[in-house]
């Protein structure tokens, strides 16, 4: 069995940057499960489905779908979804579909297959609690809402997306609330997770902290 690191936390808590750099430093694989929820949600939406569609219809669409995660890019049935899943709308769509048991069941199975036997850093909302309950190290990243809004706003601006600070704040609050309150696999720290508040930490400081924990457990 490989060495598995789970990184969970609310939207824009720094998971993606930290997970990617950590994987690079360790020579591990990296899986961003949020990207898989986003891609599947956008795909289902394109098929004319919504979270209130009949479960059977959603299940049928999921059965005919093949997800590949290669070098940080997500493909559905061979089509690259990486760029179009970065928008605020895709984030909200992902959070809406992620409430459904049928969607989670399907994605958790695929995520476990991807992680099987690998040295891997996996980020999401339910990695330490559901996807990899036996992960060797579980981290829960948090940060103040203000810090998270600033980070997300910068990310959108870098991608050339026009959004206001207020819109970003609304998006994060509504996704976090929905993700924490849903019945299936809600966002919460695993009992054995190490909680790191990154509000006033640099990326390097967060990485150093996690690398120290990795060394202690390897
Ligand atoms: O991580 P990211 O913000 O890209 O995730 C988009 C959405 O996908 C989250 O708001 C959440 O609803 C859902 N998600 C999830 N479980 C995961 C990863 C993401 O429910 N493991």
């Amino acid at each position: 069995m490989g060495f598995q690191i789970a990184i969970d936390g609310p939207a824009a808590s720094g998971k993606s940057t930290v997970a990617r750099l950590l994987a690079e430093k360790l020579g591990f694989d990296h899986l961003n499960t949020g990207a898989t929820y986003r891609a599947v949600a956008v795909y289902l939406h394109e098929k004319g489905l919504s979270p209130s569609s009949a479960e059977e219809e959603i299940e049928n669409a999921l059965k005919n779908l093949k997800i590949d995660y290669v070098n940080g890019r997500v493909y559905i049935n061979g089509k690259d979804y990486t760029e179009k899943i970065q928008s605020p709308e895709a984030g909200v769509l992902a959070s809406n579909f992620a409430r459904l048991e049928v969607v989670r069941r399907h994605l958790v199975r695929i995520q476990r297959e991807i992680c099987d036997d690998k040295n891997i850093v996996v980020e999401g909302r339910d990695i330490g609690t559901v996807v990899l309950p036996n992960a060797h190290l579980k981290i829960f990243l948090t940060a103040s809402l203000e810090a998270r809004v600033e980070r997300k706003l910068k990310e959108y601006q870098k991608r050339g997306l026009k959004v206001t600070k207020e819109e970003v704040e609304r998006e994060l609050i509504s996704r976090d609330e929905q993700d924490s309150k849903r019945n299936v696999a809600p966002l919460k720290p695993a009992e054995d997770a190490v909680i790191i508040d990154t509000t006033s930490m640099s990326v390097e400081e967060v990485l150093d902290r996690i690398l120290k924990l990795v060394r202690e457990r390897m």
Side-chain angles (χ1 to χ4, degrees), residues 124-139:
R125 303 290 187 290
D126 61 340
I127 310 306
T129 51
V130 175
V131 181
L132 301 174
N134 298 320
H136 300 81
L137 175 62
K138 297 178 187 177
I139 304 289

Side-chain angles (χ1 to χ4, degrees), residues 33-34 37-38 94-95 98 104 124-127 175 179 182:
T33 62
Y37 279 95
R38 284 170 183 258
S95 179
R104 304 202 72 83
R125 303 290 187 290
D126 61 340
I127 310 306
R175 277 208 285 142
D179 292 346
R182 69 182 172 220

Side-chain angles (χ1 to χ4, degrees), residues 174-210:
S174 97
R175 277 208 285 142
D176 287 344
E177 177 159 325
Q178 178 159 258
D179 292 346
S180 318
K181 290 192 174 155
R182 69 182 172 220
N183 294 327
V184 215
L187 164 69
K188 64 168 183 204
E191 271 175 25
D192 50 349
V194 178
I195 298 177
I196 304 178
D197 184 335
T198 69
T199 307
S200 41
M201 287 172 88
S202 68
V203 174
E204 284 68 34
E205 284 170 329
V206 180
L207 277 174
D208 282 350
R209 176 89 201 279
I210 299 178

Side-chain angles (χ1 to χ4, degrees), residues 5 7 15-31 69 71-72 119-123 203-204 207 210-211 214 218:
I5 303 173
I7 303 186
K15 298 186 301 292
S16 293
T17 309
V18 167
R20 185 173 44 79
L21 293 173
L22 185 65
E24 256 173 49
K25 272 195 190 283
L26 293 168
F28 281 20
D29 281 353
H30 167 218
L31 171 62
Y69 190 86
N71 296 330
N119 291 325
I120 191 162
V121 183
V122 190
E123 53 165 303
V203 174
E204 284 68 34
L207 277 174
I210 299 178
L211 281 168
V214 173
M218 252 181 161

